[in-house]
Amino acid sequence: MNQTLDVVKVGIADLNIARHPHTIMTAGLGSCVGLILYDDLKEVAGLVHVMLPDSSMARGKSYKQGKFADTGIKSLIDLLEAEGIRSSRLKAKMAGGAQMFNLSNGSDMMKIGQRNIEAVKEQLKKYRIPIVAEDVGGHKGRTIEFLIDQSLLNVRTVKEGVTQI
Amino acid sequence: MNNFTNLSQIHLDVLKEIGNIGAGNAATSLSNLINRSVSMSVPIVNIVSFDEMMLEVGGKDEVQAAVFVRATGDIPGNMFFMISPEEADLFAQLMIGDESQTVSNDDPMAVSAFLELGNILTGSYLRALSDFTNLEVVQSVPNVAIDMVGAMLTQGLIEISTVSDQAIMIETILHDLDGIEREIKGHFFLLPNPESYEIIFNALGVSE
């Protein structure tokens, strides 16, 4: 991974934005989905670390907006717009949504990775943001870092090392 | 029990005792299994953010070998036993008596030995919890993975995350095996679903 410049690190259920020459990353995605929204001309990118598909699942009154696909993507778009980035200019890259453990009689909660992928895609469709690249599903953890000037997403896994999408 | 803010010291002490009894029982099982002495640390009970929890085992990127089981019955929840891949290899090799097999390389014998080890350890932990509380705890078929800590632990946080941005982490570490030169560190993480706490506290007569 590119360690030479400052890296904006995004935690679980969090979101943030960064400008080139910084990069933006999140570590250890399993069933969670890491979504990058970026404007390649303005060299700005945002990342949200989505943990659950929909805020209707929330049983508490307050929660981190980035936790759910619907609230997380909306908040990220709002944050980018506040920085002067029009949502019509945004493109998306995404990774994650794995199933880390194969539970035979798994409940729906156990297939959360697939549900996260679908929920993120549904939101992107709603905001008409095209998905340029994705590395989703499977049974592996991923750490991702977005190189803003090149619009490239580094995806690192334990067994396969770093691939770029 | 939304943000765990109404937990008093006595509740935390009860949870610590669960970590103590559970891991103590597991340490005895491990000791019998590999015929060496195993000790354990004082249990840690902390209310932590999800990111903070990952730091306990070296951060979200750290690679660990994990056995994951789900508990059902009276007190549903999730449980992990985590050790470094090298230590998983060592345990597996002690059990099967073959040093050419490793969990890290997915050798079937080693993987199944490690899975059985995790099954026995989490089983004795949960059995102690069940005996202590007099509640029914049913353990799922165990699952094994070697991957990034963040990727694996979040699987156990799904239910909790619908309720809270924080988790109660009941952590106990097994260590110090006689006759082996380096220290071995195995982490137990018990993550009861949010609704299970009240049931545990009621059963032990410390409800609010």
Side-chain angles (χ1 to χ4, degrees), chain A residues 11-12 27-30 52 57-59 63-64 67 100-103 109-110 112 140-141 143 156 158-159, chain B residues 50-51 54 60-61 63 68 70 106 143 145 147-148 150-152 155 157-159 161-165:
Chain A
I12 300 166
L29 291 165
L52 294 169
M57 296 168 81
R59 288 188 279 164
Y63 48 80
K64 288 171 130 178
K67 191 187 284 181
M100 300 306 295
F101 299 96
N102 275 318
L103 295 190
M109 278 299 205
M110 288 288 108
I112 206 77
K140 57 196 178 186
T143 286
R156 186 165 61 80
V158 171
K159 288 200 173 147
Chain B
F50 301 154
D51 287 310
M54 313 302 172
K60 285 175 277 190
D61 268 302
V63 178
F68 171 64
R70 286 172 73 74
D106 282 334
N143 262 262
D147 215 308
M148 299 172 184
M152 297 189 295
Q155 186 79 66
L157 294 170
I158 301 296
E159 285 89 354
S161 69
T162 64
V163 176
S164 172
D165 294 334

mmCIF file of all heavy atoms in Angstrom, chain A residues 11-12 27-30 52 57-59 63-64 67 100-103 109-110 112 140-141 143 156 158-159, chain B residues 50-51 54 60-61 63 68 70 106 143 145 147-148 150-152 155 157-159 161-165:
data_model
loop_
_atom_site.group_PDB
_atom_site.id
_atom_site.type_symbol
_atom_site.label_atom_id
_atom_site.label_comp_id
_atom_site.label_asym_id
_atom_site.label_seq_id
_atom_site.Cartn_x
_atom_site.Cartn_y
_atom_site.Cartn_z
ATOM 1 N N GLY A 11 -12.981 4.435 10.042
ATOM 2 C CA GLY A 11 -13.293 3.319 10.935
ATOM 3 C C GLY A 11 -14.584 2.614 10.541
ATOM 4 O O GLY A 11 -15.253 2.985 9.572
ATOM 5 N N ILE A 12 -14.930 1.600 11.328
ATOM 6 C CA ILE A 12 -16.150 0.835 11.089
ATOM 7 C C ILE A 12 -17.363 1.742 11.275
ATOM 8 O O ILE A 12 -17.446 2.465 12.268
ATOM 9 C CB ILE A 12 -16.229 -0.348 12.075
ATOM 10 C CG1 ILE A 12 -15.016 -1.258 11.892
ATOM 11 C CG2 ILE A 12 -17.520 -1.130 11.901
ATOM 12 C CD1 ILE A 12 -14.830 -2.245 13.031
ATOM 13 N N ALA A 27 -9.747 -0.495 6.828
ATOM 14 C CA ALA A 27 -9.093 -1.794 7.010
ATOM 15 C C ALA A 27 -10.063 -2.876 7.459
ATOM 16 O O ALA A 27 -11.044 -2.607 8.143
ATOM 17 C CB ALA A 27 -7.969 -1.662 8.034
ATOM 18 N N GLY A 28 -9.766 -4.100 7.056
ATOM 19 C CA GLY A 28 -10.463 -5.268 7.578
ATOM 20 C C GLY A 28 -11.935 -5.359 7.243
ATOM 21 O O GLY A 28 -12.753 -5.679 8.095
ATOM 22 N N LEU A 29 -12.282 -5.127 5.987
ATOM 23 C CA LEU A 29 -13.677 -5.304 5.572
ATOM 24 C C LEU A 29 -13.974 -6.797 5.476
ATOM 25 O O LEU A 29 -13.248 -7.539 4.814
ATOM 26 C CB LEU A 29 -13.905 -4.692 4.184
ATOM 27 C CG LEU A 29 -13.854 -3.171 4.024
ATOM 28 C CD1 LEU A 29 -13.727 -2.829 2.536
ATOM 29 C CD2 LEU A 29 -15.109 -2.530 4.604
ATOM 30 N N GLY A 30 -15.013 -7.248 6.153
ATOM 31 C CA GLY A 30 -15.493 -8.616 5.985
ATOM 32 C C GLY A 30 -16.823 -8.539 5.267
ATOM 33 O O GLY A 30 -16.891 -8.303 4.061
ATOM 34 N N LEU A 52 -24.353 -2.415 7.763
ATOM 35 C CA LEU A 52 -25.673 -3.036 7.658
ATOM 36 C C LEU A 52 -26.451 -2.408 6.500
ATOM 37 O O LEU A 52 -26.231 -1.241 6.164
ATOM 38 C CB LEU A 52 -26.458 -2.830 8.969
ATOM 39 C CG LEU A 52 -25.933 -3.528 10.228
ATOM 40 C CD1 LEU A 52 -26.651 -3.003 11.460
ATOM 41 C CD2 LEU A 52 -26.098 -5.032 10.123
ATOM 42 N N MET A 57 -33.254 -1.219 10.261
ATOM 43 C CA MET A 57 -32.820 -2.267 11.188
ATOM 44 C C MET A 57 -32.418 -1.699 12.547
ATOM 45 O O MET A 57 -32.248 -2.444 13.511
ATOM 46 C CB MET A 57 -31.609 -3.024 10.624
ATOM 47 C CG MET A 57 -31.890 -3.776 9.345
ATOM 48 S SD MET A 57 -30.345 -4.330 8.584
ATOM 49 C CE MET A 57 -30.030 -5.806 9.544
ATOM 50 N N ALA A 58 -32.237 -0.371 12.612
ATOM 51 C CA ALA A 58 -31.748 0.246 13.849
ATOM 52 C C ALA A 58 -32.789 0.120 14.947
ATOM 53 O O ALA A 58 -33.952 0.472 14.753
ATOM 54 C CB ALA A 58 -31.396 1.704 13.610
ATOM 55 N N ARG A 59 -32.379 -0.387 16.110
ATOM 56 C CA ARG A 59 -33.298 -0.494 17.234
ATOM 57 C C ARG A 59 -33.044 0.607 18.258
ATOM 58 O O ARG A 59 -33.778 0.756 19.209
ATOM 59 C CB ARG A 59 -33.192 -1.890 17.867
ATOM 60 C CG ARG A 59 -33.811 -2.965 16.972
ATOM 61 C CD ARG A 59 -33.878 -4.291 17.689
ATOM 62 N NE ARG A 59 -32.594 -4.974 17.652
ATOM 63 C CZ ARG A 59 -32.273 -5.994 18.442
ATOM 64 N NH1 ARG A 59 -33.136 -6.429 19.326
ATOM 65 N NH2 ARG A 59 -31.102 -6.573 18.350
ATOM 66 N N TYR A 63 -27.524 6.632 16.024
ATOM 67 C CA TYR A 63 -26.523 5.701 15.501
ATOM 68 C C TYR A 63 -25.624 6.463 14.545
ATOM 69 O O TYR A 63 -25.966 7.552 14.066
ATOM 70 C CB TYR A 63 -27.188 4.525 14.782
ATOM 71 C CG TYR A 63 -28.259 4.929 13.797
ATOM 72 C CD1 TYR A 63 -27.921 5.380 12.512
ATOM 73 C CD2 TYR A 63 -29.605 4.882 14.146
ATOM 74 C CE1 TYR A 63 -28.896 5.764 11.610
ATOM 75 C CE2 TYR A 63 -30.592 5.269 13.245
ATOM 76 C CZ TYR A 63 -30.233 5.701 11.986
ATOM 77 O OH TYR A 63 -31.188 6.084 11.097
ATOM 78 N N LYS A 64 -24.467 5.879 14.282
ATOM 79 C CA LYS A 64 -23.564 6.477 13.309
ATOM 80 C C LYS A 64 -24.189 6.374 11.927
ATOM 81 O O LYS A 64 -24.610 5.279 11.512
ATOM 82 C CB LYS A 64 -22.238 5.718 13.317
ATOM 83 C CG LYS A 64 -21.382 5.958 14.546
ATOM 84 C CD LYS A 64 -20.227 4.980 14.533
ATOM 85 C CE LYS A 64 -18.924 5.700 14.757
ATOM 86 N NZ LYS A 64 -17.787 4.757 14.783
ATOM 87 N N LYS A 67 -23.159 3.673 9.352
ATOM 88 C CA LYS A 67 -23.384 2.252 9.624
ATOM 89 C C LYS A 67 -24.272 1.586 8.573
ATOM 90 O O LYS A 67 -24.059 0.439 8.193
ATOM 91 C CB LYS A 67 -24.028 2.116 11.009
ATOM 92 C CG LYS A 67 -24.081 0.691 11.519
ATOM 93 C CD LYS A 67 -24.874 0.600 12.804
ATOM 94 C CE LYS A 67 -24.100 1.114 13.990
ATOM 95 N NZ LYS A 67 -24.861 1.013 15.255
ATOM 96 N N MET A 100 -17.550 -14.367 5.821
ATOM 97 C CA MET A 100 -16.303 -14.857 6.414
ATOM 98 C C MET A 100 -16.430 -16.276 6.956
ATOM 99 O O MET A 100 -15.476 -17.019 6.985
ATOM 100 C CB MET A 100 -15.855 -13.923 7.541
ATOM 101 C CG MET A 100 -15.587 -12.490 7.091
ATOM 102 S SD MET A 100 -14.424 -12.409 5.713
ATOM 103 C CE MET A 100 -12.935 -13.033 6.491
ATOM 104 N N PHE A 101 -17.617 -16.633 7.422
ATOM 105 C CA PHE A 101 -17.810 -17.966 7.990
ATOM 106 C C PHE A 101 -19.012 -18.599 7.309
ATOM 107 O O PHE A 101 -20.016 -17.938 7.081
ATOM 108 C CB PHE A 101 -18.061 -17.878 9.496
ATOM 109 C CG PHE A 101 -16.912 -17.267 10.256
ATOM 110 C CD1 PHE A 101 -16.923 -15.916 10.574
ATOM 111 C CD2 PHE A 101 -15.822 -18.027 10.635
ATOM 112 C CE1 PHE A 101 -15.866 -15.341 11.277
ATOM 113 C CE2 PHE A 101 -14.761 -17.458 11.328
ATOM 114 C CZ PHE A 101 -14.780 -16.116 11.651
ATOM 115 N N ASN A 102 -18.882 -19.873 6.984
ATOM 116 C CA ASN A 102 -19.976 -20.589 6.335
ATOM 117 C C ASN A 102 -20.823 -21.293 7.363
ATOM 118 O O ASN A 102 -20.521 -22.412 7.752
ATOM 119 C CB ASN A 102 -19.421 -21.644 5.380
ATOM 120 C CG ASN A 102 -19.117 -21.049 4.035
ATOM 121 O OD1 ASN A 102 -19.895 -20.255 3.509
ATOM 122 N ND2 ASN A 102 -17.988 -21.419 3.479
ATOM 123 N N LEU A 103 -21.877 -20.657 7.810
ATOM 124 C CA LEU A 103 -22.719 -21.324 8.793
ATOM 125 C C LEU A 103 -23.845 -22.032 8.058
ATOM 126 O O LEU A 103 -24.586 -21.422 7.289
ATOM 127 C CB LEU A 103 -23.265 -20.315 9.805
ATOM 128 C CG LEU A 103 -22.184 -19.656 10.666
ATOM 129 C CD1 LEU A 103 -22.795 -18.864 11.787
ATOM 130 C CD2 LEU A 103 -21.217 -20.686 11.230
ATOM 131 N N MET A 109 -29.185 -12.854 9.099
ATOM 132 C CA MET A 109 -28.148 -12.011 9.663
ATOM 133 C C MET A 109 -26.759 -12.476 9.234
ATOM 134 O O MET A 109 -25.817 -11.709 9.178
ATOM 135 C CB MET A 109 -28.235 -12.024 11.190
ATOM 136 C CG MET A 109 -29.281 -11.080 11.727
ATOM 137 S SD MET A 109 -28.945 -9.349 11.288
ATOM 138 C CE MET A 109 -29.790 -8.520 12.596
ATOM 139 N N MET A 110 -26.637 -13.788 8.980
ATOM 140 C CA MET A 110 -25.334 -14.324 8.613
ATOM 141 C C MET A 110 -25.004 -14.048 7.146
ATOM 142 O O MET A 110 -23.865 -14.093 6.749
ATOM 143 C CB MET A 110 -25.306 -15.833 8.881
ATOM 144 C CG MET A 110 -25.252 -16.165 10.341
ATOM 145 S SD MET A 110 -23.630 -15.780 11.051
ATOM 146 C CE MET A 110 -24.002 -14.353 12.051
ATOM 147 N N ILE A 112 -25.252 -11.308 5.694
ATOM 148 C CA ILE A 112 -25.301 -9.859 5.706
ATOM 149 C C ILE A 112 -24.432 -9.248 4.605
ATOM 150 O O ILE A 112 -24.757 -8.198 4.070
ATOM 151 C CB ILE A 112 -24.931 -9.327 7.118
ATOM 152 C CG1 ILE A 112 -25.541 -7.970 7.368
ATOM 153 C CG2 ILE A 112 -23.448 -9.329 7.353
ATOM 154 C CD1 ILE A 112 -26.992 -8.018 7.694
ATOM 155 N N LYS A 140 -13.314 -13.635 1.902
ATOM 156 C CA LYS A 140 -12.037 -13.087 2.351
ATOM 157 C C LYS A 140 -12.168 -11.665 2.856
ATOM 158 O O LYS A 140 -13.017 -10.904 2.405
ATOM 159 C CB LYS A 140 -11.044 -13.115 1.177
ATOM 160 C CG LYS A 140 -11.564 -12.360 -0.024
ATOM 161 C CD LYS A 140 -10.805 -12.693 -1.297
ATOM 162 C CE LYS A 140 -11.416 -11.940 -2.471
ATOM 163 N NZ LYS A 140 -10.838 -12.305 -3.744
ATOM 164 N N GLY A 141 -11.301 -11.333 3.822
ATOM 165 C CA GLY A 141 -11.246 -9.971 4.329
ATOM 166 C C GLY A 141 -10.479 -9.084 3.358
ATOM 167 O O GLY A 141 -9.610 -9.558 2.635
ATOM 168 N N THR A 143 -8.643 -5.039 2.816
ATOM 169 C CA THR A 143 -8.278 -3.691 3.243
ATOM 170 C C THR A 143 -8.154 -2.871 1.969
ATOM 171 O O THR A 143 -7.503 -3.293 1.017
ATOM 172 C CB THR A 143 -6.954 -3.717 4.029
ATOM 173 O OG1 THR A 143 -7.209 -4.275 5.318
ATOM 174 C CG2 THR A 143 -6.386 -2.316 4.214
ATOM 175 N N ARG A 156 -6.386 -5.137 -0.768
ATOM 176 C CA ARG A 156 -5.429 -6.113 -0.247
ATOM 177 C C ARG A 156 -6.149 -7.228 0.495
ATOM 178 O O ARG A 156 -7.044 -6.979 1.301
ATOM 179 C CB ARG A 156 -4.442 -5.424 0.707
ATOM 180 C CG ARG A 156 -3.322 -6.346 1.175
ATOM 181 C CD ARG A 156 -2.173 -5.571 1.795
ATOM 182 N NE ARG A 156 -2.586 -4.814 2.967
ATOM 183 C CZ ARG A 156 -2.746 -5.347 4.173
ATOM 184 N NH1 ARG A 156 -2.546 -6.637 4.363
ATOM 185 N NH2 ARG A 156 -3.109 -4.599 5.194
ATOM 186 N N VAL A 158 -5.411 -11.298 2.429
ATOM 187 C CA VAL A 158 -4.329 -12.049 3.067
ATOM 188 C C VAL A 158 -3.654 -12.979 2.059
ATOM 189 O O VAL A 158 -2.439 -13.075 1.994
ATOM 190 C CB VAL A 158 -4.873 -12.853 4.270
ATOM 191 C CG1 VAL A 158 -3.810 -13.796 4.810
ATOM 192 C CG2 VAL A 158 -5.327 -11.894 5.364
ATOM 193 N N LYS A 159 -4.446 -13.666 1.252
ATOM 194 C CA LYS A 159 -3.866 -14.689 0.370
ATOM 195 C C LYS A 159 -3.418 -14.152 -0.977
ATOM 196 O O LYS A 159 -2.518 -14.692 -1.607
ATOM 197 C CB LYS A 159 -4.863 -15.822 0.161
ATOM 198 C CG LYS A 159 -4.990 -16.655 1.429
ATOM 199 C CD LYS A 159 -5.550 -18.025 1.168
ATOM 200 C CE LYS A 159 -5.476 -18.849 2.452
ATOM 201 N NZ LYS A 159 -6.566 -19.787 2.579
ATOM 202 N N PHE B 50 -16.434 -0.420 18.186
ATOM 203 C CA PHE B 50 -16.050 -1.577 17.376
ATOM 204 C C PHE B 50 -14.577 -1.487 16.982
ATOM 205 O O PHE B 50 -13.859 -2.482 16.981
ATOM 206 C CB PHE B 50 -16.930 -1.674 16.127
ATOM 207 C CG PHE B 50 -18.403 -1.811 16.442
ATOM 208 C CD1 PHE B 50 -19.362 -1.387 15.542
ATOM 209 C CD2 PHE B 50 -18.821 -2.374 17.648
ATOM 210 C CE1 PHE B 50 -20.721 -1.513 15.826
ATOM 211 C CE2 PHE B 50 -20.170 -2.505 17.950
ATOM 212 C CZ PHE B 50 -21.126 -2.071 17.025
ATOM 213 N N ASP B 51 -14.117 -0.268 16.658
ATOM 214 C CA ASP B 51 -12.710 -0.096 16.271
ATOM 215 C C ASP B 51 -11.768 -0.417 17.435
ATOM 216 O O ASP B 51 -10.736 -1.045 17.239
ATOM 217 C CB ASP B 51 -12.452 1.334 15.779
ATOM 218 C CG ASP B 51 -13.040 1.578 14.399
ATOM 219 O OD1 ASP B 51 -12.780 0.755 13.501
ATOM 220 O OD2 ASP B 51 -13.755 2.575 14.211
ATOM 221 N N MET B 54 -11.105 -4.161 17.955
ATOM 222 C CA MET B 54 -10.149 -4.786 17.024
ATOM 223 C C MET B 54 -8.709 -4.574 17.488
ATOM 224 O O MET B 54 -7.834 -5.377 17.214
ATOM 225 C CB MET B 54 -10.288 -4.211 15.612
ATOM 226 C CG MET B 54 -11.696 -4.114 15.083
ATOM 227 S SD MET B 54 -12.532 -5.700 15.065
ATOM 228 C CE MET B 54 -14.202 -5.200 14.632
ATOM 229 N N LYS B 60 -7.386 -4.022 12.950
ATOM 230 C CA LYS B 60 -8.271 -4.648 11.962
ATOM 231 C C LYS B 60 -7.530 -5.431 10.878
ATOM 232 O O LYS B 60 -8.042 -6.373 10.311
ATOM 233 C CB LYS B 60 -9.131 -3.558 11.301
ATOM 234 C CG LYS B 60 -10.233 -3.082 12.203
ATOM 235 C CD LYS B 60 -10.977 -1.924 11.583
ATOM 236 C CE LYS B 60 -10.231 -0.642 11.845
ATOM 237 N NZ LYS B 60 -11.020 0.551 11.482
ATOM 238 N N ASP B 61 -6.289 -4.999 10.600
ATOM 239 C CA ASP B 61 -5.485 -5.630 9.551
ATOM 240 C C ASP B 61 -4.784 -6.912 9.990
ATOM 241 O O ASP B 61 -4.315 -7.675 9.175
ATOM 242 C CB ASP B 61 -4.355 -4.676 9.157
ATOM 243 C CG ASP B 61 -4.750 -3.797 8.011
ATOM 244 O OD1 ASP B 61 -5.112 -4.320 6.947
ATOM 245 O OD2 ASP B 61 -4.697 -2.593 8.206
ATOM 246 N N VAL B 63 -3.608 -10.447 11.032
ATOM 247 C CA VAL B 63 -4.104 -11.759 10.617
ATOM 248 C C VAL B 63 -4.103 -12.710 11.813
ATOM 249 O O VAL B 63 -3.100 -12.851 12.499
ATOM 250 C CB VAL B 63 -3.247 -12.332 9.472
ATOM 251 C CG1 VAL B 63 -3.737 -13.727 9.082
ATOM 252 C CG2 VAL B 63 -3.277 -11.395 8.276
ATOM 253 N N PHE B 68 -15.176 -19.500 15.264
ATOM 254 C CA PHE B 68 -16.371 -18.705 15.542
ATOM 255 C C PHE B 68 -17.535 -19.646 15.822
ATOM 256 O O PHE B 68 -17.760 -20.586 15.065
ATOM 257 C CB PHE B 68 -16.660 -17.831 14.313
ATOM 258 C CG PHE B 68 -17.977 -17.102 14.332
ATOM 259 C CD1 PHE B 68 -18.231 -16.134 15.284
ATOM 260 C CD2 PHE B 68 -18.956 -17.374 13.379
ATOM 261 C CE1 PHE B 68 -19.442 -15.438 15.295
ATOM 262 C CE2 PHE B 68 -20.167 -16.685 13.377
ATOM 263 C CZ PHE B 68 -20.404 -15.716 14.338
ATOM 264 N N ARG B 70 -21.757 -19.670 17.280
ATOM 265 C CA ARG B 70 -22.936 -18.905 17.701
ATOM 266 C C ARG B 70 -23.589 -19.642 18.860
ATOM 267 O O ARG B 70 -23.664 -20.862 18.851
ATOM 268 C CB ARG B 70 -23.924 -18.790 16.550
ATOM 269 C CG ARG B 70 -23.466 -17.819 15.501
ATOM 270 C CD ARG B 70 -24.336 -17.858 14.274
ATOM 271 N NE ARG B 70 -25.648 -17.259 14.468
ATOM 272 C CZ ARG B 70 -25.876 -15.957 14.556
ATOM 273 N NH1 ARG B 70 -24.879 -15.114 14.501
ATOM 274 N NH2 ARG B 70 -27.089 -15.480 14.722
ATOM 275 N N ASP B 106 -4.038 -24.535 4.911
ATOM 276 C CA ASP B 106 -5.297 -25.240 4.674
ATOM 277 C C ASP B 106 -5.148 -26.753 4.592
ATOM 278 O O ASP B 106 -5.931 -27.409 3.895
ATOM 279 C CB ASP B 106 -5.969 -24.736 3.369
ATOM 280 C CG ASP B 106 -6.676 -23.402 3.583
ATOM 281 O OD1 ASP B 106 -7.072 -23.124 4.724
ATOM 282 O OD2 ASP B 106 -6.825 -22.657 2.597
ATOM 283 N N ASN B 143 -16.950 -22.733 13.183
ATOM 284 C CA ASN B 143 -16.399 -22.355 11.888
ATOM 285 C C ASN B 143 -15.006 -21.808 12.084
ATOM 286 O O ASN B 143 -14.746 -21.127 13.054
ATOM 287 C CB ASN B 143 -17.246 -21.248 11.283
ATOM 288 C CG ASN B 143 -18.228 -21.800 10.293
ATOM 289 O OD1 ASN B 143 -17.981 -21.776 9.100
ATOM 290 N ND2 ASN B 143 -19.315 -22.330 10.801
ATOM 291 N N ALA B 145 -11.589 -19.701 10.346
ATOM 292 C CA ALA B 145 -11.058 -18.846 9.274
ATOM 293 C C ALA B 145 -9.712 -18.299 9.717
ATOM 294 O O ALA B 145 -9.453 -18.148 10.916
ATOM 295 C CB ALA B 145 -12.021 -17.692 8.975
ATOM 296 N N ASP B 147 -7.873 -14.930 8.789
ATOM 297 C CA ASP B 147 -8.051 -13.717 7.994
ATOM 298 C C ASP B 147 -7.845 -12.487 8.866
ATOM 299 O O ASP B 147 -7.385 -12.601 9.996
ATOM 300 C CB ASP B 147 -9.436 -13.727 7.325
ATOM 301 C CG ASP B 147 -9.402 -13.073 5.943
ATOM 302 O OD1 ASP B 147 -8.906 -11.936 5.841
ATOM 303 O OD2 ASP B 147 -9.883 -13.691 4.984
ATOM 304 N N MET B 148 -8.194 -11.342 8.313
ATOM 305 C CA MET B 148 -8.021 -10.093 9.048
ATOM 306 C C MET B 148 -8.999 -10.035 10.230
ATOM 307 O O MET B 148 -10.179 -10.374 10.087
ATOM 308 C CB MET B 148 -8.306 -8.906 8.129
ATOM 309 C CG MET B 148 -7.387 -8.830 6.933
ATOM 310 S SD MET B 148 -7.951 -7.552 5.797
ATOM 311 C CE MET B 148 -6.772 -7.780 4.444
ATOM 312 N N GLY B 150 -10.475 -7.571 11.740
ATOM 313 C CA GLY B 150 -11.659 -6.734 11.529
ATOM 314 C C GLY B 150 -12.729 -7.463 10.738
ATOM 315 O O GLY B 150 -13.917 -7.412 11.070
ATOM 316 N N ALA B 151 -12.300 -8.156 9.703
ATOM 317 C CA ALA B 151 -13.237 -8.869 8.836
ATOM 318 C C ALA B 151 -13.965 -9.969 9.607
ATOM 319 O O ALA B 151 -15.159 -10.189 9.417
ATOM 320 C CB ALA B 151 -12.496 -9.459 7.637
ATOM 321 N N MET B 152 -13.245 -10.641 10.504
ATOM 322 C CA MET B 152 -13.854 -11.767 11.217
ATOM 323 C C MET B 152 -14.705 -11.300 12.400
ATOM 324 O O MET B 152 -15.824 -11.770 12.588
ATOM 325 C CB MET B 152 -12.757 -12.729 11.697
ATOM 326 C CG MET B 152 -11.991 -13.347 10.523
ATOM 327 S SD MET B 152 -10.871 -14.689 11.019
ATOM 328 C CE MET B 152 -9.683 -13.823 12.032
ATOM 329 N N GLN B 155 -18.359 -10.025 12.078
ATOM 330 C CA GLN B 155 -19.419 -11.027 11.952
ATOM 331 C C GLN B 155 -20.132 -11.241 13.288
ATOM 332 O O GLN B 155 -21.322 -11.536 13.312
ATOM 333 C CB GLN B 155 -18.819 -12.352 11.455
ATOM 334 C CG GLN B 155 -19.851 -13.423 11.160
ATOM 335 C CD GLN B 155 -20.530 -13.212 9.831
ATOM 336 O OE1 GLN B 155 -19.904 -13.302 8.786
ATOM 337 N NE2 GLN B 155 -21.828 -12.913 9.851
ATOM 338 N N LEU B 157 -20.582 -8.928 15.490
ATOM 339 C CA LEU B 157 -21.105 -7.647 15.981
ATOM 340 C C LEU B 157 -22.387 -7.217 15.277
ATOM 341 O O LEU B 157 -22.946 -6.169 15.571
ATOM 342 C CB LEU B 157 -20.051 -6.544 15.790
ATOM 343 C CG LEU B 157 -18.782 -6.685 16.630
ATOM 344 C CD1 LEU B 157 -17.726 -5.689 16.177
ATOM 345 C CD2 LEU B 157 -19.100 -6.484 18.107
ATOM 346 N N ILE B 158 -22.848 -8.045 14.337
ATOM 347 C CA ILE B 158 -24.010 -7.671 13.519
ATOM 348 C C ILE B 158 -25.238 -7.367 14.377
ATOM 349 O O ILE B 158 -25.844 -6.305 14.262
ATOM 350 C CB ILE B 158 -24.341 -8.789 12.492
ATOM 351 C CG1 ILE B 158 -23.149 -9.046 11.567
ATOM 352 C CG2 ILE B 158 -25.592 -8.454 11.699
ATOM 353 C CD1 ILE B 158 -22.745 -7.911 10.679
ATOM 354 N N GLU B 159 -25.577 -8.303 15.268
ATOM 355 C CA GLU B 159 -26.783 -8.108 16.097
ATOM 356 C C GLU B 159 -26.615 -6.887 17.002
ATOM 357 O O GLU B 159 -27.521 -6.081 17.160
ATOM 358 C CB GLU B 159 -27.069 -9.344 16.949
ATOM 359 C CG GLU B 159 -27.662 -10.515 16.177
ATOM 360 C CD GLU B 159 -26.602 -11.436 15.606
ATOM 361 O OE1 GLU B 159 -25.396 -11.098 15.721
ATOM 362 O OE2 GLU B 159 -26.972 -12.479 15.038
ATOM 363 N N SER B 161 -24.786 -4.326 16.554
ATOM 364 C CA SER B 161 -24.715 -3.055 15.828
ATOM 365 C C SER B 161 -26.085 -2.499 15.459
ATOM 366 O O SER B 161 -26.210 -1.319 15.163
ATOM 367 C CB SER B 161 -23.849 -3.202 14.571
ATOM 368 O OG SER B 161 -24.493 -4.027 13.634
ATOM 369 N N THR B 162 -27.130 -3.338 15.492
ATOM 370 C CA THR B 162 -28.468 -2.801 15.235
ATOM 371 C C THR B 162 -28.957 -1.987 16.435
ATOM 372 O O THR B 162 -29.890 -1.205 16.323
ATOM 373 C CB THR B 162 -29.508 -3.910 14.938
ATOM 374 O OG1 THR B 162 -29.656 -4.724 16.096
ATOM 375 C CG2 THR B 162 -29.099 -4.771 13.761
ATOM 376 N N VAL B 163 -28.314 -2.182 17.581
ATOM 377 C CA VAL B 163 -28.753 -1.526 18.807
ATOM 378 C C VAL B 163 -27.808 -0.424 19.251
ATOM 379 O O VAL B 163 -28.215 0.586 19.803
ATOM 380 C CB VAL B 163 -28.897 -2.580 19.942
ATOM 381 C CG1 VAL B 163 -29.254 -1.916 21.258
ATOM 382 C CG2 VAL B 163 -29.936 -3.617 19.573
ATOM 383 N N SER B 164 -26.514 -0.641 19.025
ATOM 384 C CA SER B 164 -25.529 0.240 19.626
ATOM 385 C C SER B 164 -24.308 0.416 18.717
ATOM 386 O O SER B 164 -24.053 -0.394 17.834
ATOM 387 C CB SER B 164 -25.091 -0.363 20.967
ATOM 388 O OG SER B 164 -24.009 0.348 21.505
ATOM 389 N N ASP B 165 -23.575 1.503 18.970
ATOM 390 C CA ASP B 165 -22.304 1.711 18.284
ATOM 391 C C ASP B 165 -21.146 1.159 19.105
ATOM 392 O O ASP B 165 -19.985 1.304 18.747
ATOM 393 C CB ASP B 165 -22.061 3.206 18.021
ATOM 394 C CG ASP B 165 -23.067 3.776 17.042
ATOM 395 O OD1 ASP B 165 -23.598 3.011 16.215
ATOM 396 O OD2 ASP B 165 -23.340 4.991 17.113
#
